[in-house]
PDB file of all heavy atoms in Angstrom:
ATOM      1  N   LEU A   1       0.824  -1.211   0.000  1.00  0.00           N
ATOM      2  CA  LEU A   1       0.000   0.000   0.000  1.00  0.00           C
ATOM      3  C   LEU A   1       0.857   1.260   0.000  1.00  0.00           C
ATOM      4  O   LEU A   1       0.420   2.311  -0.505  1.00  0.00           O
ATOM      5  CB  LEU A   1      -0.950  -0.012   1.196  1.00  0.00           C
ATOM      6  CG  LEU A   1      -2.040  -1.091   1.140  1.00  0.00           C
ATOM      7  CD1 LEU A   1      -2.903  -1.043   2.394  1.00  0.00           C
ATOM      8  CD2 LEU A   1      -2.909  -0.927  -0.097  1.00  0.00           C
ATOM      9  N   LYS A   2       2.068   1.175   0.516  1.00  0.00           N
ATOM     10  CA  LYS A   2       2.974   2.320   0.463  1.00  0.00           C
ATOM     11  C   LYS A   2       3.274   2.686  -0.987  1.00  0.00           C
ATOM     12  O   LYS A   2       3.300   3.868  -1.354  1.00  0.00           O
ATOM     13  CB  LYS A   2       4.267   2.004   1.213  1.00  0.00           C
ATOM     14  CG  LYS A   2       5.240   3.177   1.258  1.00  0.00           C
ATOM     15  CD  LYS A   2       6.496   2.827   2.045  1.00  0.00           C
ATOM     16  CE  LYS A   2       7.466   4.012   2.069  1.00  0.00           C
ATOM     17  NZ  LYS A   2       8.717   3.676   2.800  1.00  0.00           N
ATOM     18  N   LYS A   3       3.499   1.674  -1.850  1.00  0.00           N
ATOM     19  CA  LYS A   3       3.746   1.929  -3.267  1.00  0.00           C
ATOM     20  C   LYS A   3       2.487   2.465  -3.956  1.00  0.00           C
ATOM     21  O   LYS A   3       2.574   3.316  -4.847  1.00  0.00           O
ATOM     22  CB  LYS A   3       4.223   0.658  -3.961  1.00  0.00           C
ATOM     23  CG  LYS A   3       5.522   0.082  -3.425  1.00  0.00           C
ATOM     24  CD  LYS A   3       6.695   1.013  -3.646  1.00  0.00           C
ATOM     25  CE  LYS A   3       7.099   1.135  -5.093  1.00  0.00           C
ATOM     26  NZ  LYS A   3       8.330   1.939  -5.284  1.00  0.00           N
ATOM     27  N   VAL A   4       1.331   1.960  -3.551  1.00  0.00           N
ATOM     28  CA  VAL A   4       0.073   2.475  -4.097  1.00  0.00           C
ATOM     29  C   VAL A   4      -0.041   3.965  -3.809  1.00  0.00           C
ATOM     30  O   VAL A   4      -0.331   4.777  -4.700  1.00  0.00           O
ATOM     31  CB  VAL A   4      -1.133   1.715  -3.504  1.00  0.00           C
ATOM     32  CG1 VAL A   4      -2.447   2.360  -3.952  1.00  0.00           C
ATOM     33  CG2 VAL A   4      -1.103   0.253  -3.917  1.00  0.00           C
ATOM     34  N   VAL A   5       0.201   4.335  -2.567  1.00  0.00           N
ATOM     35  CA  VAL A   5       0.078   5.731  -2.149  1.00  0.00           C
ATOM     36  C   VAL A   5       1.072   6.611  -2.899  1.00  0.00           C
ATOM     37  O   VAL A   5       0.746   7.739  -3.309  1.00  0.00           O
ATOM     38  CB  VAL A   5       0.267   5.842  -0.620  1.00  0.00           C
ATOM     39  CG1 VAL A   5       0.492   7.283  -0.194  1.00  0.00           C
ATOM     40  CG2 VAL A   5      -0.954   5.267   0.093  1.00  0.00           C
ATOM     41  N   GLU A   6       2.287   6.132  -3.095  1.00  0.00           N
ATOM     42  CA  GLU A   6       3.294   6.919  -3.815  1.00  0.00           C
ATOM     43  C   GLU A   6       2.803   7.304  -5.209  1.00  0.00           C
ATOM     44  O   GLU A   6       2.970   8.449  -5.647  1.00  0.00           O
ATOM     45  CB  GLU A   6       4.600   6.130  -3.919  1.00  0.00           C
ATOM     46  CG  GLU A   6       5.370   6.018  -2.612  1.00  0.00           C
ATOM     47  CD  GLU A   6       6.598   5.137  -2.749  1.00  0.00           C
ATOM     48  OE1 GLU A   6       6.888   4.687  -3.888  1.00  0.00           O
ATOM     49  OE2 GLU A   6       7.262   4.891  -1.731  1.00  0.00           O
ATOM     50  N   HIS A   7       2.196   6.370  -5.909  1.00  0.00           N
ATOM     51  CA  HIS A   7       1.746   6.673  -7.269  1.00  0.00           C
ATOM     52  C   HIS A   7       0.442   7.455  -7.288  1.00  0.00           C
ATOM     53  O   HIS A   7       0.203   8.233  -8.227  1.00  0.00           O
ATOM     54  CB  HIS A   7       1.650   5.388  -8.085  1.00  0.00           C
ATOM     55  CG  HIS A   7       2.983   4.929  -8.585  1.00  0.00           C
ATOM     56  ND1 HIS A   7       3.617   5.512  -9.646  1.00  0.00           N
ATOM     57  CD2 HIS A   7       3.822   3.968  -8.127  1.00  0.00           C
ATOM     58  CE1 HIS A   7       4.780   4.924  -9.848  1.00  0.00           C
ATOM     59  NE2 HIS A   7       4.931   3.981  -8.941  1.00  0.00           N
ATOM     60  N   LEU A   8      -0.397   7.303  -6.287  1.00  0.00           N
ATOM     61  CA  LEU A   8      -1.575   8.166  -6.199  1.00  0.00           C
ATOM     62  C   LEU A   8      -1.150   9.607  -5.961  1.00  0.00           C
ATOM     63  O   LEU A   8      -1.769  10.544  -6.502  1.00  0.00           O
ATOM     64  CB  LEU A   8      -2.504   7.680  -5.083  1.00  0.00           C
ATOM     65  CG  LEU A   8      -3.202   6.338  -5.303  1.00  0.00           C
ATOM     66  CD1 LEU A   8      -4.067   5.985  -4.104  1.00  0.00           C
ATOM     67  CD2 LEU A   8      -4.040   6.337  -6.579  1.00  0.00           C
ATOM     68  N   GLU A   9      -0.106   9.813  -5.171  1.00  0.00           N
ATOM     69  CA  GLU A   9       0.429  11.162  -4.951  1.00  0.00           C
ATOM     70  C   GLU A   9       0.940  11.752  -6.261  1.00  0.00           C
ATOM     71  O   GLU A   9       0.707  12.927  -6.568  1.00  0.00           O
ATOM     72  CB  GLU A   9       1.562  11.131  -3.919  1.00  0.00           C
ATOM     73  CG  GLU A   9       1.113  10.904  -2.479  1.00  0.00           C
ATOM     74  CD  GLU A   9       0.549  12.160  -1.822  1.00  0.00           C
ATOM     75  OE1 GLU A   9       0.346  13.164  -2.547  1.00  0.00           O
ATOM     76  OE2 GLU A   9       0.295  12.128  -0.608  1.00  0.00           O
ATOM     77  N   LYS A  10       1.632  10.950  -7.057  1.00  0.00           N
ATOM     78  CA  LYS A  10       2.129  11.436  -8.340  1.00  0.00           C
ATOM     79  C   LYS A  10       0.990  11.741  -9.297  1.00  0.00           C
ATOM     80  O   LYS A  10       1.051  12.703 -10.068  1.00  0.00           O
ATOM     81  CB  LYS A  10       3.080  10.403  -8.950  1.00  0.00           C
ATOM     82  CG  LYS A  10       4.404  10.255  -8.200  1.00  0.00           C
ATOM     83  CD  LYS A  10       5.285   9.190  -8.838  1.00  0.00           C
ATOM     84  CE  LYS A  10       6.607   9.052  -8.084  1.00  0.00           C
ATOM     85  NZ  LYS A  10       7.482   8.005  -8.671  1.00  0.00           N
ATOM     86  N   ALA A  11      -0.063  10.926  -9.256  1.00  0.00           N
ATOM     87  CA  ALA A  11      -1.209  11.153 -10.147  1.00  0.00           C
ATOM     88  C   ALA A  11      -1.902  12.478  -9.835  1.00  0.00           C
ATOM     89  O   ALA A  11      -2.444  13.132 -10.739  1.00  0.00           O
ATOM     90  CB  ALA A  11      -2.192   9.994 -10.033  1.00  0.00           C
ATOM     91  N   LYS A  12      -1.885  12.893  -8.568  1.00  0.00           N
ATOM     92  CA  LYS A  12      -2.559  14.137  -8.175  1.00  0.00           C
ATOM     93  C   LYS A  12      -2.056  15.332  -8.972  1.00  0.00           C
ATOM     94  O   LYS A  12      -2.805  16.265  -9.251  1.00  0.00           O
ATOM     95  CB  LYS A  12      -2.368  14.399  -6.679  1.00  0.00           C
ATOM     96  CG  LYS A  12      -3.323  13.641  -5.779  1.00  0.00           C
ATOM     97  CD  LYS A  12      -3.023  13.884  -4.308  1.00  0.00           C
ATOM     98  CE  LYS A  12      -3.204  15.319  -3.904  1.00  0.00           C
ATOM     99  NZ  LYS A  12      -2.969  15.517  -2.454  1.00  0.00           N
ATOM    100  N   ALA A  13      -0.771  15.315  -9.334  1.00  0.00           N
ATOM    101  CA  ALA A  13      -0.198  16.444 -10.070  1.00  0.00           C
ATOM    102  C   ALA A  13      -0.840  16.615 -11.441  1.00  0.00           C
ATOM    103  O   ALA A  13      -0.744  17.694 -12.039  1.00  0.00           O
ATOM    104  CB  ALA A  13       1.309  16.254 -10.218  1.00  0.00           C
ATOM    105  N   TYR A  14      -1.499  15.567 -11.941  1.00  0.00           N
ATOM    106  CA  TYR A  14      -2.091  15.615 -13.277  1.00  0.00           C
ATOM    107  C   TYR A  14      -3.608  15.490 -13.235  1.00  0.00           C
ATOM    108  O   TYR A  14      -4.249  15.232 -14.270  1.00  0.00           O
ATOM    109  CB  TYR A  14      -1.478  14.506 -14.144  1.00  0.00           C
ATOM    110  CG  TYR A  14       0.026  14.578 -14.176  1.00  0.00           C
ATOM    111  CD1 TYR A  14       0.800  13.718 -13.394  1.00  0.00           C
ATOM    112  CD2 TYR A  14       0.676  15.542 -14.935  1.00  0.00           C
ATOM    113  CE1 TYR A  14       2.185  13.799 -13.386  1.00  0.00           C
ATOM    114  CE2 TYR A  14       2.060  15.633 -14.937  1.00  0.00           C
ATOM    115  CZ  TYR A  14       2.804  14.762 -14.161  1.00  0.00           C
ATOM    116  OH  TYR A  14       4.174  14.863 -14.163  1.00  0.00           O
ATOM    117  N   ALA A  15      -4.203  15.672 -12.070  1.00  0.00           N
ATOM    118  CA  ALA A  15      -5.658  15.606 -11.938  1.00  0.00           C
ATOM    119  C   ALA A  15      -6.299  16.697 -12.789  1.00  0.00           C
ATOM    120  O   ALA A  15      -5.792  17.827 -12.879  1.00  0.00           O
ATOM    121  CB  ALA A  15      -6.066  15.760 -10.481  1.00  0.00           C
ATOM    122  N   ALA A  16      -7.417  16.379 -13.405  1.00  0.00           N
ATOM    123  CA  ALA A  16      -8.071  17.311 -14.327  1.00  0.00           C
ATOM    124  C   ALA A  16      -8.927  18.347 -13.612  1.00  0.00           C
ATOM    125  O   ALA A  16      -9.253  19.386 -14.190  1.00  0.00           O
ATOM    126  CB  ALA A  16      -8.927  16.529 -15.325  1.00  0.00           C
ATOM    127  N   ASN A  17      -9.306  18.059 -12.356  1.00  0.00           N
ATOM    128  CA  ASN A  17     -10.185  18.989 -11.642  1.00  0.00           C
ATOM    129  C   ASN A  17     -10.093  18.739 -10.140  1.00  0.00           C
ATOM    130  O   ASN A  17      -9.408  17.814  -9.683  1.00  0.00           O
ATOM    131  CB  ASN A  17     -11.630  18.838 -12.122  1.00  0.00           C
ATOM    132  CG  ASN A  17     -12.124  17.403 -12.032  1.00  0.00           C
ATOM    133  OD1 ASN A  17     -12.051  16.770 -10.978  1.00  0.00           O
ATOM    134  ND2 ASN A  17     -12.622  16.877 -13.149  1.00  0.00           N
ATOM    135  N   GLY A  18     -10.795  19.567  -9.385  1.00  0.00           N
ATOM    136  CA  GLY A  18     -10.751  19.472  -7.931  1.00  0.00           C
ATOM    137  C   GLY A  18     -11.315  18.173  -7.397  1.00  0.00           C
ATOM    138  O   GLY A  18     -10.833  17.656  -6.376  1.00  0.00           O
ATOM    139  N   HIS A  19     -12.351  17.645  -8.050  1.00  0.00           N
ATOM    140  CA  HIS A  19     -12.928  16.385  -7.565  1.00  0.00           C
ATOM    141  C   HIS A  19     -11.908  15.254  -7.663  1.00  0.00           C
ATOM    142  O   HIS A  19     -11.789  14.431  -6.741  1.00  0.00           O
ATOM    143  CB  HIS A  19     -14.181  16.033  -8.365  1.00  0.00           C
ATOM    144  CG  HIS A  19     -15.395  16.817  -7.969  1.00  0.00           C
ATOM    145  ND1 HIS A  19     -15.819  16.917  -6.661  1.00  0.00           N
ATOM    146  CD2 HIS A  19     -16.262  17.558  -8.715  1.00  0.00           C
ATOM    147  CE1 HIS A  19     -16.912  17.673  -6.608  1.00  0.00           C
ATOM    148  NE2 HIS A  19     -17.190  18.069  -7.834  1.00  0.00           N
ATOM    149  N   GLN A  20     -11.187  15.195  -8.768  1.00  0.00           N
ATOM    150  CA  GLN A  20     -10.169  14.151  -8.898  1.00  0.00           C
ATOM    151  C   GLN A  20      -9.076  14.321  -7.850  1.00  0.00           C
ATOM    152  O   GLN A  20      -8.618  13.339  -7.260  1.00  0.00           O
ATOM    153  CB  GLN A  20      -9.562  14.179 -10.304  1.00  0.00           C
ATOM    154  CG  GLN A  20     -10.501  13.678 -11.387  1.00  0.00           C
ATOM    155  CD  GLN A  20      -9.862  13.651 -12.766  1.00  0.00           C
ATOM    156  OE1 GLN A  20      -8.689  13.994 -12.925  1.00  0.00           O
ATOM    157  NE2 GLN A  20     -10.628  13.252 -13.774  1.00  0.00           N
ATOM    158  N   GLU A  21      -8.668  15.556  -7.612  1.00  0.00           N
ATOM    159  CA  GLU A  21      -7.617  15.800  -6.626  1.00  0.00           C
ATOM    160  C   GLU A  21      -8.080  15.411  -5.230  1.00  0.00           C
ATOM    161  O   GLU A  21      -7.363  14.739  -4.479  1.00  0.00           O
ATOM    162  CB  GLU A  21      -7.211  17.272  -6.669  1.00  0.00           C
ATOM    163  CG  GLU A  21      -5.983  17.584  -5.834  1.00  0.00           C
ATOM    164  CD  GLU A  21      -5.491  18.994  -6.043  1.00  0.00           C
ATOM    165  OE1 GLU A  21      -5.940  19.665  -7.002  1.00  0.00           O
ATOM    166  OE2 GLU A  21      -4.654  19.439  -5.240  1.00  0.00           O
ATOM    167  N   ARG A  22      -9.305  15.813  -4.859  1.00  0.00           N
ATOM    168  CA  ARG A  22      -9.824  15.471  -3.521  1.00  0.00           C
ATOM    169  C   ARG A  22     -10.094  13.971  -3.406  1.00  0.00           C
ATOM    170  O   ARG A  22      -9.923  13.379  -2.338  1.00  0.00           O
ATOM    171  CB  ARG A  22     -11.084  16.293  -3.233  1.00  0.00           C
ATOM    172  CG  ARG A  22     -10.793  17.771  -3.004  1.00  0.00           C
ATOM    173  CD  ARG A  22     -12.013  18.537  -2.551  1.00  0.00           C
ATOM    174  NE  ARG A  22     -12.981  18.726  -3.610  1.00  0.00           N
ATOM    175  CZ  ARG A  22     -12.963  19.735  -4.481  1.00  0.00           C
ATOM    176  NH1 ARG A  22     -11.999  20.641  -4.438  1.00  0.00           N
ATOM    177  NH2 ARG A  22     -13.903  19.845  -5.414  1.00  0.00           N
ATOM    178  N   MET A  23     -10.536  13.356  -4.490  1.00  0.00           N
ATOM    179  CA  MET A  23     -10.735  11.903  -4.513  1.00  0.00           C
ATOM    180  C   MET A  23      -9.432  11.190  -4.175  1.00  0.00           C
ATOM    181  O   MET A  23      -9.389  10.307  -3.301  1.00  0.00           O
ATOM    182  CB  MET A  23     -11.218  11.483  -5.900  1.00  0.00           C
ATOM    183  CG  MET A  23     -11.234   9.993  -6.176  1.00  0.00           C
ATOM    184  SD  MET A  23     -11.550   9.619  -7.926  1.00  0.00           S
ATOM    185  CE  MET A  23      -9.926   9.941  -8.631  1.00  0.00           C
ATOM    186  N   LEU A  24      -8.349  11.568  -4.836  1.00  0.00           N
ATOM    187  CA  LEU A  24      -7.062  10.928  -4.595  1.00  0.00           C
ATOM    188  C   LEU A  24      -6.556  11.210  -3.188  1.00  0.00           C
ATOM    189  O   LEU A  24      -5.961  10.334  -2.551  1.00  0.00           O
ATOM    190  CB  LEU A  24      -6.051  11.397  -5.641  1.00  0.00           C
ATOM    191  CG  LEU A  24      -6.340  10.958  -7.080  1.00  0.00           C
ATOM    192  CD1 LEU A  24      -5.338  11.575  -8.039  1.00  0.00           C
ATOM    193  CD2 LEU A  24      -6.323   9.443  -7.203  1.00  0.00           C
ATOM    194  N   THR A  25      -6.798  12.414  -2.697  1.00  0.00           N
ATOM    195  CA  THR A  25      -6.395  12.747  -1.323  1.00  0.00           C
ATOM    196  C   THR A  25      -7.067  11.818  -0.323  1.00  0.00           C
ATOM    197  O   THR A  25      -6.431  11.321   0.623  1.00  0.00           O
ATOM    198  CB  THR A  25      -6.751  14.213  -1.005  1.00  0.00           C
ATOM    199  OG1 THR A  25      -6.007  15.079  -1.876  1.00  0.00           O
ATOM    200  CG2 THR A  25      -6.425  14.559   0.449  1.00  0.00           C
ATOM    201  N   GLN A  26      -8.349  11.559  -0.535  1.00  0.00           N
ATOM    202  CA  GLN A  26      -9.082  10.682   0.381  1.00  0.00           C
ATOM    203  C   GLN A  26      -8.647   9.225   0.227  1.00  0.00           C
ATOM    204  O   GLN A  26      -8.544   8.495   1.220  1.00  0.00           O
ATOM    205  CB  GLN A  26     -10.584  10.816   0.145  1.00  0.00           C
ATOM    206  CG  GLN A  26     -11.162  12.166   0.534  1.00  0.00           C
ATOM    207  CD  GLN A  26     -11.060  12.435   2.025  1.00  0.00           C
ATOM    208  OE1 GLN A  26     -11.069  11.519   2.847  1.00  0.00           O
ATOM    209  NE2 GLN A  26     -10.926  13.702   2.387  1.00  0.00           N
ATOM    210  N   TYR A  27      -8.380   8.782  -0.997  1.00  0.00           N
ATOM    211  CA  TYR A  27      -7.875   7.422  -1.177  1.00  0.00           C
ATOM    212  C   TYR A  27      -6.539   7.246  -0.459  1.00  0.00           C
ATOM    213  O   TYR A  27      -6.282   6.216   0.178  1.00  0.00           O
ATOM    214  CB  TYR A  27      -7.688   7.104  -2.661  1.00  0.00           C
ATOM    215  CG  TYR A  27      -8.957   6.955  -3.462  1.00  0.00           C
ATOM    216  CD1 TYR A  27      -8.919   6.964  -4.855  1.00  0.00           C
ATOM    217  CD2 TYR A  27     -10.202   6.814  -2.849  1.00  0.00           C
ATOM    218  CE1 TYR A  27     -10.068   6.826  -5.615  1.00  0.00           C
ATOM    219  CE2 TYR A  27     -11.352   6.684  -3.596  1.00  0.00           C
ATOM    220  CZ  TYR A  27     -11.288   6.691  -4.979  1.00  0.00           C
ATOM    221  OH  TYR A  27     -12.436   6.555  -5.718  1.00  0.00           O
ATOM    222  N   ILE A  28      -5.690   8.240  -0.576  1.00  0.00           N
ATOM    223  CA  ILE A  28      -4.393   8.184   0.094  1.00  0.00           C
ATOM    224  C   ILE A  28      -4.587   8.080   1.604  1.00  0.00           C
ATOM    225  O   ILE A  28      -3.929   7.280   2.277  1.00  0.00           O
ATOM    226  CB  ILE A  28      -3.551   9.424  -0.278  1.00  0.00           C
ATOM    227  CG1 ILE A  28      -3.107   9.317  -1.748  1.00  0.00           C
ATOM    228  CG2 ILE A  28      -2.339   9.572   0.643  1.00  0.00           C
ATOM    229  CD1 ILE A  28      -2.583  10.619  -2.325  1.00  0.00           C
ATOM    230  N   ALA A  29      -5.508   8.873   2.139  1.00  0.00           N
ATOM    231  CA  ALA A  29      -5.796   8.799   3.574  1.00  0.00           C
ATOM    232  C   ALA A  29      -6.335   7.433   3.957  1.00  0.00           C
ATOM    233  O   ALA A  29      -5.975   6.867   5.003  1.00  0.00           O
ATOM    234  CB  ALA A  29      -6.801   9.893   3.957  1.00  0.00           C
ATOM    235  N   SER A  30      -7.191   6.869   3.102  1.00  0.00           N
ATOM    236  CA  SER A  30      -7.771   5.557   3.392  1.00  0.00           C
ATOM    237  C   SER A  30      -6.700   4.481   3.465  1.00  0.00           C
ATOM    238  O   SER A  30      -6.646   3.700   4.419  1.00  0.00           O
ATOM    239  CB  SER A  30      -8.797   5.202   2.310  1.00  0.00           C
ATOM    240  OG  SER A  30      -9.274   3.880   2.479  1.00  0.00           O
ATOM    241  N   PHE A  31      -5.830   4.444   2.462  1.00  0.00           N
ATOM    242  CA  PHE A  31      -4.800   3.406   2.428  1.00  0.00           C
ATOM    243  C   PHE A  31      -3.714   3.651   3.473  1.00  0.00           C
ATOM    244  O   PHE A  31      -3.073   2.704   3.926  1.00  0.00           O
ATOM    245  CB  PHE A  31      -4.176   3.323   1.032  1.00  0.00           C
ATOM    246  CG  PHE A  31      -5.153   2.967  -0.045  1.00  0.00           C
ATOM    247  CD1 PHE A  31      -5.089   3.567  -1.295  1.00  0.00           C
ATOM    248  CD2 PHE A  31      -6.159   2.034   0.179  1.00  0.00           C
ATOM    249  CE1 PHE A  31      -5.993   3.244  -2.298  1.00  0.00           C
ATOM    250  CE2 PHE A  31      -7.070   1.704  -0.811  1.00  0.00           C
ATOM    251  CZ  PHE A  31      -6.989   2.318  -2.053  1.00  0.00           C
ATOM    252  N   THR A  32      -3.518   4.896   3.850  1.00  0.00           N
ATOM    253  CA  THR A  32      -2.512   5.203   4.868  1.00  0.00           C
ATOM    254  C   THR A  32      -2.988   4.806   6.255  1.00  0.00           C
ATOM    255  O   THR A  32      -2.255   4.182   7.025  1.00  0.00           O
ATOM    256  CB  THR A  32      -2.161   6.701   4.843  1.00  0.00           C
ATOM    257  OG1 THR A  32      -1.647   7.046   3.547  1.00  0.00           O
ATOM    258  CG2 THR A  32      -1.119   7.030   5.899  1.00  0.00           C
ATOM    259  N   HIS A  33      -4.221   5.154   6.585  1.00  0.00           N
ATOM    260  CA  HIS A  33      -4.742   4.953   7.939  1.00  0.00           C
ATOM    261  C   HIS A  33      -5.611   3.703   8.095  1.00  0.00           C
ATOM    262  O   HIS A  33      -5.939   3.328   9.224  1.00  0.00           O
ATOM    263  CB  HIS A  33      -5.565   6.176   8.364  1.00  0.00           C
ATOM    264  CG  HIS A  33      -4.779   7.447   8.441  1.00  0.00           C
ATOM    265  ND1 HIS A  33      -3.965   7.756   9.500  1.00  0.00           N
ATOM    266  CD2 HIS A  33      -4.678   8.475   7.570  1.00  0.00           C
ATOM    267  CE1 HIS A  33      -3.397   8.932   9.286  1.00  0.00           C
ATOM    268  NE2 HIS A  33      -3.815   9.394   8.123  1.00  0.00           N
ATOM    269  N   GLY A  34      -6.027   3.098   6.994  1.00  0.00           N
ATOM    270  CA  GLY A  34      -6.928   1.952   7.098  1.00  0.00           C
ATOM    271  C   GLY A  34      -8.370   2.355   7.276  1.00  0.00           C
ATOM    272  O   GLY A  34      -9.157   1.628   7.885  1.00  0.00           O
ATOM    273  N   SER A  35      -8.742   3.516   6.734  1.00  0.00           N
ATOM    274  CA  SER A  35     -10.076   4.067   6.966  1.00  0.00           C
ATOM    275  C   SER A  35     -11.013   3.852   5.790  1.00  0.00           C
ATOM    276  O   SER A  35     -10.785   4.380   4.699  1.00  0.00           O
ATOM    277  CB  SER A  35      -9.964   5.577   7.243  1.00  0.00           C
ATOM    278  OG  SER A  35     -11.235   6.182   7.207  1.00  0.00           O
ATOM    279  N   ILE A  36     -12.086   3.115   5.993  1.00  0.00           N
ATOM    280  CA  ILE A  36     -13.122   2.975   4.979  1.00  0.00           C
ATOM    281  C   ILE A  36     -13.911   4.274   4.856  1.00  0.00           C
ATOM    282  O   ILE A  36     -14.375   4.632   3.767  1.00  0.00           O
ATOM    283  CB  ILE A  36     -14.048   1.786   5.301  1.00  0.00           C
ATOM    284  CG1 ILE A  36     -13.299   0.469   5.105  1.00  0.00           C
ATOM    285  CG2 ILE A  36     -15.297   1.801   4.408  1.00  0.00           C
ATOM    286  CD1 ILE A  36     -12.816   0.211   3.686  1.00  0.00           C
ATOM    287  N   GLU A  37     -14.047   5.012   5.944  1.00  0.00           N
ATOM    288  CA  GLU A  37     -14.757   6.291   5.871  1.00  0.00           C
ATOM    289  C   GLU A  37     -14.064   7.242   4.901  1.00  0.00           C
ATOM    290  O   GLU A  37     -14.717   7.969   4.147  1.00  0.00           O
ATOM    291  CB  GLU A  37     -14.872   6.923   7.259  1.00  0.00           C
ATOM    292  CG  GLU A  37     -15.850   6.220   8.180  1.00  0.00           C
ATOM    293  CD  GLU A  37     -17.242   6.095   7.576  1.00  0.00           C
ATOM    294  OE1 GLU A  37     -17.749   7.104   7.036  1.00  0.00           O
ATOM    295  OE2 GLU A  37     -17.821   4.995   7.625  1.00  0.00           O
ATOM    296  N   ALA A  38     -12.722   7.261   4.911  1.00  0.00           N
ATOM    297  CA  ALA A  38     -11.993   8.103   3.957  1.00  0.00           C
ATOM    298  C   ALA A  38     -12.216   7.611   2.531  1.00  0.00           C
ATOM    299  O   ALA A  38     -12.353   8.410   1.600  1.00  0.00           O
ATOM    300  CB  ALA A  38     -10.504   8.115   4.296  1.00  0.00           C
ATOM    301  N   HIS A  39     -12.260   6.289   2.355  1.00  0.00           N
ATOM    302  CA  HIS A  39     -12.504   5.755   1.008  1.00  0.00           C
ATOM    303  C   HIS A  39     -13.915   6.104   0.550  1.00  0.00           C
ATOM    304  O   HIS A  39     -14.137   6.393  -0.632  1.00  0.00           O
ATOM    305  CB  HIS A  39     -12.299   4.240   0.990  1.00  0.00           C
ATOM    306  CG  HIS A  39     -12.182   3.679  -0.394  1.00  0.00           C
ATOM    307  ND1 HIS A  39     -13.276   3.193  -1.084  1.00  0.00           N
ATOM    308  CD2 HIS A  39     -11.118   3.552  -1.227  1.00  0.00           C
ATOM    309  CE1 HIS A  39     -12.883   2.772  -2.275  1.00  0.00           C
ATOM    310  NE2 HIS A  39     -11.577   2.979  -2.393  1.00  0.00           N
ATOM    311  N   LYS A  40     -14.863   6.107   1.463  1.00  0.00           N
ATOM    312  CA  LYS A  40     -16.220   6.524   1.116  1.00  0.00           C
ATOM    313  C   LYS A  40     -16.243   7.977   0.657  1.00  0.00           C
ATOM    314  O   LYS A  40     -16.905   8.324  -0.328  1.00  0.00           O
ATOM    315  CB  LYS A  40     -17.156   6.342   2.315  1.00  0.00           C
ATOM    316  CG  LYS A  40     -17.564   4.921   2.602  1.00  0.00           C
ATOM    317  CD  LYS A  40     -18.568   4.894   3.750  1.00  0.00           C
ATOM    318  CE  LYS A  40     -19.102   3.489   3.991  1.00  0.00           C
ATOM    319  NZ  LYS A  40     -20.109   3.466   5.076  1.00  0.00           N
ATOM    320  N   GLU A  41     -15.510   8.828   1.368  1.00  0.00           N
ATOM    321  CA  GLU A  41     -15.476  10.236   0.985  1.00  0.00           C
ATOM    322  C   GLU A  41     -14.816  10.396  -0.381  1.00  0.00           C
ATOM    323  O   GLU A  41     -15.268  11.191  -1.208  1.00  0.00           O
ATOM    324  CB  GLU A  41     -14.721  11.050   2.040  1.00  0.00           C
ATOM    325  CG  GLU A  41     -14.827  12.556   1.849  1.00  0.00           C
ATOM    326  CD  GLU A  41     -16.262  13.067   1.870  1.00  0.00           C
ATOM    327  OE1 GLU A  41     -17.121  12.473   2.573  1.00  0.00           O
ATOM    328  OE2 GLU A  41     -16.535  14.064   1.159  1.00  0.00           O
TER     329      GLU A  41
END
């Protein structure tokens, strides 16, 4: 999951809009902390 998060962070730099950027931010939080609530967001 550390490698997953690294590439999600890199993808954020090329997000097309705010929703994509916030989506990736929440996925990163989910995989970092183990939070399904963050993945839901």
Side-chain angles (χ1 to χ4, degrees):
L1 292 178
K2 183 179 180 182
K3 299 296 290 186
V4 174
V5 166
E6 287 176 4
H7 280 283
L8 292 179
E9 287 282 9
K10 291 179 180 179
K12 278 177 63 177
Y14 305 101
N17 54 54
H19 282 308
Q20 288 183 1
E21 189 172 347
R22 289 187 288 273
M23 169 190 78
L24 294 175
T25 297
Q26 292 295 331
Y27 290 166
I28 289 165
S30 174
F31 299 141
T32 300
H33 297 281
S35 168
I36 290 298
E37 288 305 314
H39 195 267
K40 284 184 175 182
E41 190 59 31

